[in-house]
């Protein structure tokens, strides 16, 4: 356990990012929303009206990431889209298990929505967004807010290669990209278990699928199935795997994987139908590609407008590497610009 703790500590140190020089185009301040640390980015240029407000939840497998890690990404989005961006520093696993991160993101969002007049934001143009684990959190927050009649409706959600389910780690993208950085198949299961339980003692069972009973798997098969993945994404090394027998003890420890606040892909149609206009970015060389594709289908099947941007030569985490240590990937820049263009089109 101490070795794992040291590995996580070292990983956080390596990903910590650093504070950047002052940007004359942005007014940046660190605040707390309901005791949750946030960083607010406000364009300094005069505005003809109230701006869009974007709440951003960073990625990092619920274990890594910080305000500083995503400083360049958030600055870019705020500056290029001329929007107010609120980056949220939620509590991390394994020290803080589910639902701590979800609750922090929800509470920060609620505070912002109730106090938008302080930031010059249009209440009709509030957007939740995030990448990877942050995309998971954005989808969960969006689903929760759908039933709130006392608040303005979200204008949109932006989900950047989100992880949205933990029932099946053998979908085509998991098979095809199992050893592709930056997110290996085994690490995806490891992170999900760290977030859920604060340990990953059942990672092998989760990877092989013995953590879910047959009746539960059958219940969600209409939403979590390779059958719902377009054929063009199955051309690279995909096998049909026989289901494994469930181990009751393992299921008992992970059964909260069936909660939509943890796995938003499993939300009922009545909730998905209420989701705002959506932007989903996927990458071809990413184990989480199919989570995004499956949620895209669910949203579209429920009449929700979806803008989908697929990076054919992209890999997981490519957006977070924007201008990282002096270099960028052209595909990542294209993806980031597609996000900005989507935001600018939201009136």
């Amino acid at each position: 356990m101490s070795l794992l703790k040291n590995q996580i500590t070292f990983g956080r140190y390596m990903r910590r990012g650093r504070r950047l020089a002052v940007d004359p185009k942005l007014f940046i301040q660190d605040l707390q929303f309901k005791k949750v640390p946030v960083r607010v980015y406000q364009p300094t240029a005069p505005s003809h009206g109230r701006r869009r407000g974007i709440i951003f939840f960073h990625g990092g497998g619920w274990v890594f990431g910080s305000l500083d890690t995503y400083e360049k990404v958030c600055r870019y989005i705020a500056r290029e889209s001329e929007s107010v961006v609120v980056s949220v520093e939620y509590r991390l696993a394994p020290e803080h298990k589910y639902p701590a991160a979800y609750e922090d993101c929800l509470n920060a969002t609620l505070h912002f929505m109730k106090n938008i007049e302080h930031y010059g934001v249009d209440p009709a143009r509030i957007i939740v967004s995030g990448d990877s684990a942050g995309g998971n959190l954005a989808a969960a927050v969006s689903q929760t807010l759908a039933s709130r009649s006392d608040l303005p409706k979200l204008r949109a959600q932006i989900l950047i290669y989100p992880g949205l389910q933990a029932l099946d780690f053998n979908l085509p993208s998991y098979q095809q990209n199992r050893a592709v950085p930056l997110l290996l198949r085994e690490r995806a299961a490891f992170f999900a278990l760290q977030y859920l339980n604060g340990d990953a003692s059942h990672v092998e069972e989760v990877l092989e699928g013995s953590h879910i009973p047959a009746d539960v798997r059958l219940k969600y098969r209409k939403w979590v199935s390779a059958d719902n993945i377009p054929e063009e994404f199955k051309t690279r090394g995909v096998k049909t795997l026989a289901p494994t027998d469930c181990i009751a003890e393992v299921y008992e420890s992970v059964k909260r994987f069936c909660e939509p606040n943890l796995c938003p892909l499993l939300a009922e149609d009545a909730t998905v139908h209420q989701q705002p206009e959506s932007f989903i970015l996927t990458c071809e060389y990413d184990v989480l590609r199919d989570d995004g594709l499956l949620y895209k289908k669910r949203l579209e099947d429920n009449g929700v407008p979806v803008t989908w941007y697929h990076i054919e030569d992209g890999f997981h985490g490519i957006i977070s590497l924007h201008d990282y240590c002096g270099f960028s990937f052209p595909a990542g820049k294209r993806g980031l610009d597609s996000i900005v263009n989507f935001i600018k089109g939201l009136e």
Side-chain angles (χ1 to χ4, degrees), residues 199-273:
D199 75 77
S201 56
H202 294 302
V203 68
E204 291 302 325
E205 294 90 339
V206 168
L207 286 169
E208 69 181 15
S210 58
H211 64 306
I212 301 296
D215 60 328
V216 175
R217 193 176 299 278
L218 183 62
K219 174 184 176 181
Y220 292 113
R221 181 174 172 76
K222 58 186 175 181
W223 300 330
V224 185
S225 170
D227 294 342
N228 293 341
I229 303 297
E231 290 301 317
E232 62 263 32
F233 294 101
K234 301 176 187 176
T235 57
R236 290 189 295 119
V238 177
K239 298 178 182 178
T240 301
L241 303 176
T244 56
D245 293 333
C246 178
I247 301 173
E249 171 194 351
V250 177
Y251 173 62
E252 191 61 30
S253 71
V254 303
K255 61 185 179 183
R256 297 185 80 185
F257 275 154
C258 296
E259 296 181 12
N261 286 343
L262 180 58
C263 294
L265 183 59
L266 307 185
E268 295 296 327
D269 282 338
T271 297
V272 177
H273 177 72

